Amino acid sequence: MDWGGWIYVCPVISTYFLNGGFMAHNGRYILKFISGKYQGGEFALEMNQELIIGRSSELEMVLIEDMVSRHHAKITTTDDEIFIEDLGSTNGTFVNGEKITKCKLKEGDRILIGTSIIKLVFEEYDSTQPPPPPMGAVLGDSGAGPSLNSSNAHRVAQGGYTNHGTQSGVLSGVIDQVPLPDLLQLFGPSKKTGGLFITTPGGTEGCIYLREGRVYGAVINGNFDVPVEKAFYRIICWTSGTFLLDTTASHEFEHPIDEAVESMLMEAMRIIDETHALGDNVPPFDAVFRIEVPIVPKLRDLSPEELDIFQMLINEPSMESVLNHSEFDDIETTKLVMGLLDKKYIGYA
């Protein structure tokens, strides 16, 4: 597990209540770092406690980075509720993309503090096993993470540098845990600026460029010839891979995107739904077509739109190329290609 450094944890002695409150149903709530330089770290909560988060070294949870205030936020637990309160921080505290002053948390909520995305999760455990570690203990594989140190009563994490920036400017994670639409909803209110770099398991690389929380450009595999809207909607549909926000990255586009993130995400959802509706016979992005010779069906039977796509495929017979150069969006272009396949004008292996 990559801890991005090491963490000191206060050796707190506590009693776990197995009936009612946080320990009901043989489990407890955990703050799980799913993004940022502390990714992989987990912090167990206990009932009737206050947890102060910030940059100051005397706090219970210390996040060492410039975007975190000395006293940034407070998490308060009761017998059956969890609350988070912003303590007048410079850069704000966000829950599910909304800037908050104080709000109640529920399981699955995502908290953005600095460059860390923290998810509230409920973890069940086997009551026949020994009791879990006390509040503040780091949970994970044995020997994989930080250790207890009685000479230091604070939880402190230290991170380093990455290829895309410094510890104060990098937010990273996996989109399997934090989907890209959720990320952009988090970045909007917090006015993030930089390049959101995404790499799929197959090695495809994309980048969504943001300025003050608004998307203004996108590129896949460094091909800036593809219209930015097409690149953005392809990337936003990716569901697996890693992401990294480099706050130092920027690029000037000849035709930047000028649309609210919310409307773009709604359009992305429409594209995803229509893609699913096309069925299982959609040609893959890397498909290479062949013209069926002799051409049995008549060319005059093609619509003007189909004829345009057919001509493109004669010149550059790949799905990627026709999607990049078509004047239509990817859904409409895919429908036209599938029509040519059904009518036996083209084929592919």
Side-chain angles (χ1 to χ4, degrees), residues 1-9 37-42 136-149 155-158:
M1 182 178 293
D2 180 9
W3 295 91
W6 45 265
I7 301 177
Y8 283 128
V9 182
K37 74 183 202 178
Y38 307 119
Q39 183 182 349
E42 297 179 346
V138 175
L139 312 175
D141 298 332
S142 177
S147 59
L148 294 174
N149 187 330
R155 175 186 173 95
V156 181
Q158 294 182 341

Side-chain angles (χ1 to χ4, degrees), residues 268-343:
M269 295 304 102
R270 181 193 69 81
I271 291 173
I272 291 172
D273 289 343
E274 291 200 19
T275 300
H276 290 159
L278 292 177
D280 298 329
N281 296 323
V282 176
F285 193 68
D286 59 356
V288 177
F289 300 98
R290 64 178 183 274
I291 306 300
E292 299 291 10
V293 179
I295 302 175
V296 176
K298 303 297 184 182
L299 293 178
R300 65 171 175 265
D301 293 334
L302 292 175
S303 68
E305 294 79 11
E306 289 174 323
L307 192 58
D308 285 346
I309 298 300
F310 185 70
Q311 185 173 358
M312 288 183 190
L313 290 171
I314 292 175
N315 296 328
E316 295 186 62
S318 72
M319 189 68 178
E320 178 180 6
S321 177
V322 74
L323 287 171
N324 288 346
H325 294 97
S326 172
E327 64 181 82
F328 310 111
D329 64 30
D330 284 1
I331 293 295
E332 187 60 31
T333 300
T334 299
K335 289 179 179 179
L336 292 170
V337 170
M338 293 177 70
L340 292 174
L341 285 167
D342 290 341
K343 296 172 184 178

Side-chain angles (χ1 to χ4, degrees), residues 4 6 15 20 51 104 121 135 137 141 154 156 174 206 214-215 225 252 255 258 271 273 279 286-287 318 321 334 345:
W6 45 265
T15 301
L51 173 66
K104 181 178 176 180
V121 299
M135 176 184 177
D141 298 332
H154 310 292
V156 181
V174 292
R214 292 178 63 94
V215 174
D225 292 333
E252 294 301 322
H255 301 289
D258 184 20
I271 291 173
D273 289 343
D286 59 356
S318 72
S321 177
T334 299
Y345 287 93

Side-chain angles (χ1 to χ4, degrees), residues 128-325:
T128 64
Q129 299 298 315
M135 176 184 177
V138 175
L139 312 175
D141 298 332
S142 177
S147 59
L148 294 174
N149 187 330
S150 59
S151 65
N152 191 315
H154 310 292
R155 175 186 173 95
V156 181
Q158 294 182 341
Y161 294 82
T162 75
N163 292 331
H164 286 286
T166 67
Q167 59 179 342
S168 62
V170 173
L171 189 156
S172 62
V174 292
I175 59 177
D176 310 65
Q177 293 183 340
V178 194
L180 290 175
D182 290 2
L183 271 178
L184 292 182
Q185 287 180 317
L186 284 170
F187 294 164
S190 56
K191 299 187 181 300
K192 297 293 185 186
T193 295
L196 179 62
F197 293 86
I198 305 101
T199 303
T200 70
T204 302
E205 296 183 351
C207 182
I208 296 173
Y209 289 91
L210 302 125
R211 185 179 293 122
E212 294 293 314
R214 292 178 63 94
V215 174
Y216 71 92
V219 63
I220 298 176
N221 288 335
N223 186 357
F224 289 93
D225 292 333
V226 179
V228 290
E229 289 86 356
K230 287 190 176 186
F232 171 81
Y233 288 122
R234 289 177 198 171
I235 294 172
I236 204 67
C237 294
W238 295 352
T239 57
S240 185
T242 61
F243 71 85
L244 182 150
L245 178 67
D246 179 357
T247 58
T248 67
S250 65
H251 186 83
E252 294 301 322
F253 292 88
E254 185 177 356
H255 301 289
I257 297 172
D258 184 20
E259 190 172 349
V261 171
E262 292 77 11
S263 63
M264 296 184 70
L265 291 179
M266 290 182 63
E267 176 65 10
M269 295 304 102
R270 181 193 69 81
I271 291 173
I272 291 172
D273 289 343
E274 291 200 19
T275 300
H276 290 159
L278 292 177
D280 298 329
N281 296 323
V282 176
F285 193 68
D286 59 356
V288 177
F289 300 98
R290 64 178 183 274
I291 306 300
E292 299 291 10
V293 179
I295 302 175
V296 176
K298 303 297 184 182
L299 293 178
R300 65 171 175 265
D301 293 334
L302 292 175
S303 68
E305 294 79 11
E306 289 174 323
L307 192 58
D308 285 346
I309 298 300
F310 185 70
Q311 185 173 358
M312 288 183 190
L313 290 171
I314 292 175
N315 296 328
E316 295 186 62
S318 72
M319 189 68 178
E320 178 180 6
S321 177
V322 74
L323 287 171
N324 288 346
H325 294 97

Side-chain angles (χ1 to χ4, degrees), residues 79-140:
D79 287 350
D80 54 7
E81 293 181 317
I82 308 173
F83 295 91
I84 185 168
E85 178 182 357
D86 184 78
L87 299 178
S89 65
T90 301
N91 293 299
T93 301
F94 300 84
V95 176
N96 300 327
E98 297 294 328
K99 190 173 184 178
I100 61 96
T101 300
K102 183 177 181 178
C103 74
K104 181 178 176 180
L105 293 174
K106 63 182 183 300
E107 183 181 3
D109 281 348
R110 295 182 175 93
I111 305 162
L112 177 63
I113 296 178
T115 64
S116 293
I117 298 177
I118 309 165
K119 185 177 182 181
L120 181 66
V121 299
F122 183 80
E123 180 184 79
E124 295 184 357
Y125 61 86
D126 188 347
S127 60
T128 64
Q129 299 298 315
M135 176 184 177
V138 175
L139 312 175

Side-chain angles (χ1 to χ4, degrees), residues 2-20:
D2 180 9
W3 295 91
W6 45 265
I7 301 177
Y8 283 128
V9 182
C10 173
V12 180
I13 299 175
S14 63
T15 301
Y16 276 83
F17 296 83
L18 300 179
N19 297 298

